[in-house]
């Protein structure tokens, strides 16, 4: 039920204004320092560096679909620089970049997103502790002396790490887990879960984070506060108390569905599978919703001839940029709908 | 595209009031005369007689689904007799019956529906002439002398046959064809067809006649006027002018769909087929809608492994009473939804 665990640290360089007040020259310097630092300090076996503002749209979307960069970072319209050209967005946006740890892409660092640096580590399953340690290793590796001089974080003895948005001040940490909660949704319990998690100071978001809708019952649960609570407490609470509770709740809903409403559950699962196997036109949104139902069926043991891994891959590979990468050619939206349906039928054995 | 052709004649016995003014005794006498007449005059090889007011609900629904009787006749609530007990409906309703020609059920005569007699002949395909001749043979066989005395129709030299509702006065004939027009519906042309046929004095109704919605793009087109137009003219106009026009329009829409929007058509057809093959719960309404899509696909040559005849049979056999007859047991609504889905999957080879 836990798709992945994610730890994100917000950091800014001392001696530079926050991005909302930085000139293009200052941004370029931050980018330059960060790039050199990230590609040489050994944060991973190999590091892929991308100048996001120069990357083609398809590559940016590809990174967004892989959750390596945020929607704002992909678009490049979140934080126009002071005095920036109005067509900066169209031309690729303000100078910004991302470093991706290869080969597993488990760590990435966005440069010049909302803060100068956004360190992110994602691990499959419920692995917040491991993700936190990995994020810390990157964090430690970046700060300090190196051949290019000293990289110093903006830090206050009183508040902790200083960040562009006050909600991140302090630890600068955001911890989140991506959950698949289709049974709770089917039983009409998601509102209750949302309220309960909110009361515990957590946010429930959609598949692509802030401002996005839950697609196909995939939810991101994350902490809201970064000030006044030590990192280990934030982590422990989420990993050992809250997430296990939500998981147990989802598990109980699945048991209940299987025992009391098995027919309804099967109906939902096999209608969605039948639609995926029959459709000749498919949007990415519908694909995720239908795949979410099938995933529930697979995990509940109702669909013996399909692997959960196959469904997980389809969730990613039916997204626009990935689809085009898999097929090895660029397609417009209408062509993608056809190609997506054809691809799904091929993988799931449709009519 | 023409599922069936139907001719109906409305007749009343001279010497008895119309049913809206008839006492229970008078109704019983009309029923008695009609029953004896219908079961002995040789209107068919064999005749099945049913006292509808004494028939179990399942049998009544069965006859309704086969279009042998109307919804009102099945329910028995259309025309309460003067001074009838208020619970007459609950007890099966006023005395009424139906004679069904065996073995092919192509002719039936409802007794004490809106008129004393409603003669109906249904033929597969576009066969209005043959249906009209068959209805006339029944009509002729009923009127006249026999061992029980004379049966005389209420007839006026000036108006023609007299009927309970003025719209039927004159010839008492209603001629209708059941059409399957899914391509016109898909192309958004049905409103145009409705308007055009209405302008020609025709009515477009749903699958179960008056007051019913079109289910799955099955439409009944019938004449509205019975006065001032000779029967052959009504027939010829519908059979040789109007229906061929509608058919050509539907055919052109199918060609257009296949040539210009084949992908969209296939998407529609195979989604519906996928849903039918996957569903574990199915209402009769949804079944007809989905089967209608599949029927279009079969006739357009898109679904080589399914016969049109199979789909036609499923349209009938998924109706509540037929389903129970096929399965040989009575089921409540919830059980029927499950059994219907299971039956469809068995026939269409579902997952």
């Amino acid at each position: 039920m836990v798709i992945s665990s994610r730890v994100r640290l917000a950091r800014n360089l001392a001696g530079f204004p926050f991005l909302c007040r930085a000139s293009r020259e200052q941004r370029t310097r931050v980018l330059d320092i960060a790039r050199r630092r990230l590609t040489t300090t050994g944060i991973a076996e190999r590091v892929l560096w991308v100048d996001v503002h120069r990357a083609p749209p398809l590559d940016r979307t590809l990174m967004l679909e892989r959750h390596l960069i945020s929607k704002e970072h992909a678009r490049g319209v979140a934080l126009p620089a002071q005095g920036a050209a109005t067509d900066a967005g169209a031309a690729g946006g303000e100078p910004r970049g991302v470093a991706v740890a290869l080969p597993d892409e488990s760590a990435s660092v966005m440069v010049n997103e909302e803060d100068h640096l956004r360190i992110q580590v994602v691990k499959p399953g419920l692995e917040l502790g491991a993700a936190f340690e990995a994020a810390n290793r990157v964090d430690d590796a970046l700060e300090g002396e190196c051949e290019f001089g000293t990289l110093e974080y903006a830090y206050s003895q009183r508040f902790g790490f200083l960040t562009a948005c006050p909600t991140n001040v302090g630890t600068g940490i955001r911890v989140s887990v991506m959950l698949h909660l289709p049974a709770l949704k089917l039983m009409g319990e998601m509102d209750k879960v949302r309220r309960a998690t909110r009361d515990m100071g957590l946010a429930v978001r959609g598949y692509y984070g802030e401002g996005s809708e839950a697609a196909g019952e995939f939810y991101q649960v994350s902490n809201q506060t970064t000030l006044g609570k030590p990192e280990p407490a934030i982590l422990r609470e989420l990993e050992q108390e809250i997430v296990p509770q939500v998981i147990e709740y989802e598990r109980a809903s699945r048991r209940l569905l299987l025992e009391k409403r098995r027919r309804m559950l099967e109906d939902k699962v096999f209608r969605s599978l039948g639609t995926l196997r029959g459709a000749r036109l498919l949007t990415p949104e519908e694909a995720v919703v239908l795949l979410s139902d099938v995933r529930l069926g697979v995990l509940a043991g109702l669909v013996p001839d399909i692997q959960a891994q196959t469904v997980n891959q389809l969730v990613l590979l039916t997204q626009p940029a990935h689809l085009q990468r898999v097929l090895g050619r660029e397609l417009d939206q209408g062509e993608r709908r056809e190609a997506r349906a054809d691809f799904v039928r091929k993988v799931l054995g449709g009519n």
Side-chain angles (χ1 to χ4, degrees), chain A residues 200-263:
Chain A
M200 292 185 280
L202 298 170
V204 179
R205 297 194 172 89
Y207 189 59
Y208 287 109
E210 212 150 339
S212 72
E213 283 299 301
E217 288 46 286
F218 291 97
Y219 299 91
Q220 254 187 43
V221 177
S222 59
N223 68 310
Q224 290 279 49
T225 51
T226 53
L227 198 60
K229 216 179 212 177
E231 288 150 341
I234 295 174
L235 274 177
R236 202 188 47 236
E237 194 185 44
L238 200 62
E239 180 149 8
Q240 290 172 24
E241 291 170 32
I242 297 163
V243 172
Q245 270 180 46
V246 176
I247 291 176
E248 185 40 53
Y249 201 14
E250 165 75 15
R251 195 166 284 160
S253 298
R254 291 188 188 183
R255 271 197 305 269
L256 206 65
L257 278 171
L258 271 171
E259 282 164 23
K260 309 273 185 192
R261 307 179 73 179
R262 190 187 181 93
R263 187 50 89 145

Side-chain angles (χ1 to χ4, degrees), chain A residues 9 14 27 33 39 57 97 108 118 178 198 238 274 310 322 324 341:
Chain A
L9 303 173
R27 284 170 183 246
I33 294 169
T39 50
S108 66
R118 285 271 173 117
M178 177 82 79
R198 247 165 224 169
L238 200 62
T310 306
H322 277 80
Q324 293 173 81

Side-chain angles (χ1 to χ4, degrees), chain A residues 290-302:
Chain A
L290 296 171
L291 287 166
S292 166
D293 293 338
V294 173
R295 189 175 188 278
L296 171 61
V298 169
L299 295 178
L302 299 176

Side-chain angles (χ1 to χ4, degrees), chain A residues 43 55 57 80 84 95-96 103 115 151 171 189 212 220 230 244 249 261 268 295 318 341:
Chain A
I43 61 163
R96 64 198 191 284
D115 295 292
L151 188 152
T171 59
E189 300 282 327
S212 72
Q220 254 187 43
Y249 201 14
R261 307 179 73 179
K268 179 95 173 161
R295 189 175 188 278
T318 52

Side-chain angles (χ1 to χ4, degrees), chain A residues 110-224:
Chain A
M110 287 187 281
V111 181
N112 290 352
E113 201 241 21
E114 187 178 291
D115 295 292
H116 297 154
L117 299 173
R118 285 271 173 117
I119 301 164
Q120 173 184 275
V121 172
V122 179
K123 300 268 182 195
L126 187 55
E127 287 289 353
L128 281 173
F132 180 62
E133 281 167 30
N136 271 347
R137 278 196 299 274
V138 175
D139 192 33
D140 294 345
L142 289 179
E143 202 181 25
E145 299 265 349
C146 79
E147 49 181 311
F148 312 111
T150 305
L151 188 152
E152 202 185 325
Y153 286 147
Y155 187 83
S156 137
Q157 286 298 335
R158 187 168 166 209
F159 296 116
F161 290 104
L162 300 176
T163 54
C165 177
T167 59
N168 292 316
V169 166
T171 59
I173 197 171
R174 177 154 288 160
V175 181
S176 66
V177 286
M178 177 82 79
L179 300 168
H180 186 224
L181 307 174
L184 285 169
K185 183 69 193 296
L186 260 180
M187 299 293 280
E189 300 282 327
M190 267 316 293
D191 277 349
K192 211 186 284 179
V193 173
R194 268 173 202 278
R195 276 198 303 274
T197 44
R198 247 165 224 169
D199 290 349
M200 292 185 280
L202 298 170
V204 179
R205 297 194 172 89
Y207 189 59
Y208 287 109
E210 212 150 339
S212 72
E213 283 299 301
E217 288 46 286
F218 291 97
Y219 299 91
Q220 254 187 43
V221 177
S222 59
N223 68 310
Q224 290 279 49

